[in-house]
Amino acid sequence: GGRVERRTLRFDPKRRRVVVRRGKEAVHDYRYLPEPDIPALVLDETIVKEAGVGLGESPLEMENRFRDEHGVSAGAARVLASRPDLARYYEALHRLAPARQAANWLVTEALRTSGGKQSKSPPSLRVPPEALAALLEMLRRGRITGPVAKRVYRRMAETGASAAEIVAADDLYAQRDAEALVETAEQVLAENPQAVADYRAGKKTALKFLLGRLMRKTRGRAEPETAAEVLRRLLAAGGGSQDTRP
């Protein structure tokens, strides 16, 4: 019911609202000319409500629903709601997999696999939601590791094969047997004496380096916690010391 002011507005993405940039006080400077053949447009409440019904859910409403009802993080909900292709895919996927896992996978791996580009059908989103849900279930059950899941997902997008087919064909099942990892872990320690010395000198970050080398040797199949425990056990027992090698 107020008077419409002539102002230049801009959208503030941090505050997520429209703010005034500057006012147009000297209207005559803009050379506004009234058009006598165009009458004033008056929109009553009925017209406004009818128009609103056809608009559907706004991105902000969708973002709030993903966050509040599904438990998705604020950042992931914002990304999903800002991309119609991701939002539609997520709506189908979250019925088959935990919402938070589904959302996090889409805003990271799906965008990474598609190069983060907006398109009608990014390669990663051509993987049917049912197929991706099966991959995520294998990951939740510990049948494959995180690094392997990412590789399998890329293969799924490229070939159309299922996660089970790719994992079985390349024997990518997670290695959870600690004893089976000992020999490979000993090789890693022997090949990286400096990292071993750093670890024993108190640089605990050296363990991450050694773990990375072990994961590389096992092609990502080693279960990270099991692999880290094997490394710690060997290091505590003197593994990797110069005098223990032939």
Side-chain angles (χ1 to χ4, degrees), residues 144-186:
I144 57 176
T145 64
V148 165
K150 296 174 184 179
R151 286 162 47 198
V152 171
Y153 183 56
R154 289 193 293 269
R155 290 274 300 280
M156 292 170 67
E158 294 167 358
T159 67
S162 70
E165 291 170 339
I166 296 172
V167 171
D170 293 344
D171 189 21
L172 298 175
Y173 295 104
Q175 294 183 353
R176 308 179 70 86
D177 185 353
E179 295 307 314
L181 291 172
V182 169
E183 182 178 352
T184 306
E186 288 176 337

Side-chain angles (χ1 to χ4, degrees), residues 45-118:
E45 192 66 23
T46 302
I47 295 176
V48 174
K49 288 183 177 180
E50 289 178 351
V53 170
L55 291 177
E57 188 178 35
S58 71
L60 181 57
E61 291 171 335
M62 184 181 296
E63 176 186 330
N64 291 337
R65 177 166 61 85
F66 290 165
R67 185 190 65 237
D68 299 337
E69 297 182 15
H70 297 185
V72 173
S73 68
R78 185 173 301 116
V79 173
L80 290 173
S82 68
R83 292 191 50 151
D85 54 350
L86 277 181
R88 287 191 297 269
Y89 194 100
Y90 166 75
E91 292 278 25
L93 181 61
H94 97 276
R95 298 182 177 91
L96 307 169
R100 185 178 292 272
Q101 183 190 33
N104 290 343
W105 189 274
L106 288 178
V107 301
T108 55
E109 297 311 314
L111 291 182
R112 181 182 296 117
T113 304
S114 65
K117 297 179 180 179
Q118 178 83 35

Side-chain angles (χ1 to χ4, degrees), residues 3-8 22-25 27 30 32:
R3 181 172 178 270
V4 177
E5 300 288 344
R6 292 186 173 92
R7 299 180 297 185
T8 298
R22 65 176 180 273
K24 298 180 178 179
E25 297 179 359
V27 176
Y30 289 85
Y32 291 125

